[in-house]
Amino acid sequence: MGEPNLDYIRKIANGDQEFFNKLIKIVKFELPNEVDSYNDYMQRGCFMQAANIVHKIKHKAIILSWEDAYQIAATHEENLKAGSNVDQASFDNYLTAMLRYISTI
């Protein structure tokens, strides 16, 4: 499953602590809201709308240097677009881990 980390954010911040802090703040603000929207769409069976949210979350996985989460998000996004939620449980596990991680940074 791997672990998220801040390597990518550190790389793009390139030593600029203010920019680094802004990126962290954005992730910490956006991700919980996106997860709430995703869960709402999934509960209502709105797979296309959920796929749009998964697309955004997928990019958070990259920002958190978490390739495994990115891969499951990409697969889940495509499956949702095809009308299938086959990867929901796996994706939800990654979401839980991502939310737990951002609460520690």
Side-chain angles (χ1 to χ4, degrees), residues 35-104:
V35 171
D36 287 345
S37 294
Y38 163 79
N39 286 330
D40 180 56
Y41 286 132
M42 290 302 290
Q43 286 176 354
R44 293 188 292 142
C46 301
F47 290 172
M48 285 303 292
Q49 291 89 339
N52 290 333
I53 300 299
V54 171
H55 182 80
K56 294 177 183 183
I57 294 170
K58 177 175 70 175
H59 294 290
K60 301 295 186 302
I62 289 297
I63 289 170
L64 294 174
S65 304
W66 202 4
E67 182 66 28
D68 294 346
Y70 175 84
Q71 292 300 324
I72 190 66
T75 300
H76 188 44
E77 177 185 5
E78 292 307 313
N79 285 332
L80 287 171
K81 288 178 180 178
S84 171
N85 68 345
V86 67
D87 297 306
Q88 183 176 355
S90 295
F91 181 73
D92 288 354
N93 288 335
Y94 280 99
L95 286 183
T96 299
M98 287 174 78
L99 290 171
R100 189 177 320 117
Y101 180 74
I102 66 164
S103 74
T104 68

